[in-house]
Amino acid sequence: MKAIIIHEFGDADVLKLSDAATPEVRPNDLLVRVYAAGVNRADLTHRTGGYGHPDFGDSPIIGLEIAGEVIGKGSAVEGFEVGARVMGVVGGGAYAELARIDYRMAMPIPAQLDYVHAAAIPEVFVTAHEAMIHLARLTSGDSVLIHAAAGGVGSAAVQLAYATGATVYATTDGSKLSRVEHLGADVAIDYKTQDFADVIARKTDGQGVDVIIDFVGKPYFERNIASLAKGGRLIQVGILGGGGSVNVTLEQILYRHLQIIGTVMKSRTQPQKHAMIKRFRDHWLERFEGAGSLEPVVDSTFPLSRAADAHRRMESSENVGKIILTMQPEDLIEG
């Protein structure tokens, strides 16, 4: 089969289409003919050596989410048959014609969705649900500030917050404000020209928001703390703007009853990941069908042979929603 295998860490040019062996199917695996694969920030970290090893422990092939058709299954698989359309999160191996996936990490694709839009769901919507609904306990009537709201997880979080009945504040680039408002943001904030902490203070009469979902990290930390309401929850999902030490006054956390929670899917145990998928599936999967349904946001598609261009698109930060690789036969031709 054709796949993207990284022989050395580096810039996007290290992503080359190569021949690879068909993955071995273990008892709990589905073997999937991949028609679309999502590109994630974790893929960029993988490609540049940020994880310190060449694979995710399950495959030497890059990529974490797939959509495709089941063509084989292991002896312990329950609930899926050959021919089923599935989407889900894999432990590596997504940038390929064929991939294996633990059946407990797979979900049926809603009938009205094609493979490209299905591939835009698993990683971002599961992460958004875990951070905002499960960990932050967002409910109807709450308020939430979502940073990087035009990105993959951010755009999913805006939709889930809107569907939950929360008041949604969202930061993004000025050119993307209308798109974020279309997804459900009540107040879209241009992070380049506005101080989000000032906007939150003004819009909430100094009370702050109940929940903040942050992907940026250190540059936003102190303003995030200042923007939380009493009893507020800050969920740290990423550190795109930088990690390291931050300043916090413990009395603020103590007397304002604040909670600071970190979450990363990649470092969870496999049973924890299974539980994350189940929570999302039970809560939201049927909401991707019918009128008023949730919307997988696709920014652009690239054939697998142009994976490097897909990474450059993500590195530009110009995308709104997901970047998807496609694996039709004509997409597997180099040149």
Side-chain angles (χ1 to χ4, degrees):
M1 69 173 185
K2 293 293 185 181
I4 300 294
I5 299 177
I6 298 174
H7 297 288
E8 59 182 344
F9 297 131
D11 62 21
D13 289 331
V14 304
L15 300 177
K16 302 293 186 183
L17 197 63
S18 306
D19 291 311
T22 298
E24 176 186 355
V25 178
R26 300 160 301 192
N28 289 314
D29 286 338
L30 302 172
L31 182 63
V32 176
R33 183 171 301 283
V34 180
Y35 292 116
V39 177
N40 292 281
R41 286 280 173 183
D43 300 345
L44 306 187
T45 304
H46 181 184
R47 190 201 77 216
T48 56
Y51 296 125
H53 49 82
D55 58 55
F56 277 87
D58 199 42
S59 173
I61 299 169
I62 191 172
L64 295 174
E65 67 185 329
I66 62 170
E69 179 185 355
V70 177
I71 60 172
K73 65 175 189 173
S75 59
V77 169
E78 299 177 1
F80 293 96
E81 300 298 334
V82 171
R85 297 193 324 139
V86 297
M87 59 187 182
V89 178
V90 297
Y95 290 20
E97 289 183 273
L98 303 174
R100 65 184 180 190
I101 181 172
D102 183 325
Y103 79 94
R104 294 158 294 191
M105 298 296 290
M107 297 174 280
I109 295 175
Q112 72 180 43
L113 293 183
D114 58 26
Y115 288 114
V116 166
H117 286 83
I121 293 175
E123 182 81 17
V124 295
F125 276 94
V126 170
T127 298
H129 172 84
E130 189 70 10
M132 191 169 59
I133 308 300
H134 181 65
L135 295 176
R137 308 180 305 282
L138 187 77
T139 60
S140 179
D142 282 347
S143 55
V144 58
L145 169 62
I146 299 166
H147 290 301
V153 182
S155 62
V158 170
Q159 292 187 71
L160 297 188
Y162 175 80
T164 298
T167 299
V168 184
Y169 301 88
T171 65
T172 189
D173 180 88
S175 65
K176 304 173 184 178
L177 294 174
S178 61
R179 182 60 173 146
V180 169
E181 290 171 342
H182 170 76
L183 293 173
D186 296 283
V187 178
I189 303 165
D190 182 350
Y191 75 92
K192 291 183 177 178
T193 62
Q194 297 173 282
D195 184 325
F196 70 82
D198 289 343
V199 175
I200 295 299
R202 185 174 68 254
K203 293 289 186 178
T204 65
D205 295 324
Q207 297 301 304
V209 295
D210 300 298
V211 173
I212 296 178
I213 307 298
D214 182 47
F215 310 89
V216 178
K218 185 175 181 176
Y220 280 11
F221 187 82
E222 291 186 46
R223 285 182 289 161
N224 282 337
I225 295 297
S227 299
L228 284 172
K230 186 175 181 179
R233 290 85 70 192
L234 167 62
I235 312 300
Q236 199 69 51
V237 185
I239 48 173
L240 295 175
S245 300
V246 295
N247 294 318
V248 60
T249 303
L250 291 177
E251 285 82 358
Q252 288 199 57
I253 297 175
L254 182 66
Y255 296 120
R256 292 170 57 204
H257 309 286
L258 305 182
Q259 298 178 52
I260 303 170
I261 303 171
T263 180
V264 177
M265 185 189 293
K266 191 182 81 67
S267 59
R268 297 285 189 96
T269 66
Q270 203 63 16
Q272 288 172 332
K273 292 177 182 178
H274 298 163
M276 291 173 67
I277 295 292
K278 186 178 188 304
R279 283 192 286 267
F280 168 77
R281 178 177 175 172
D282 291 348
H283 198 113
W284 295 112
L285 191 59
E286 65 181 21
R287 297 285 293 272
F288 286 90
E289 299 186 273
S293 61
L294 296 170
E295 174 189 357
V297 181
V298 175
D299 171 80
S300 51
T301 63
F302 294 83
L304 184 63
S305 58
R306 291 180 56 204
D309 290 332
H311 276 222
R312 293 186 189 99
R313 174 68 178 172
M314 177 162 281
E315 288 169 332
S316 76
S317 295
E318 295 177 356
N319 60 297
V320 176
K322 292 287 291 188
I323 300 165
I324 305 296
L325 296 173
T326 58
M327 285 76 163
Q328 299 296 337
E330 62 270 21
D331 297 335
L332 301 170
I333 301 173
E334 294 183 89

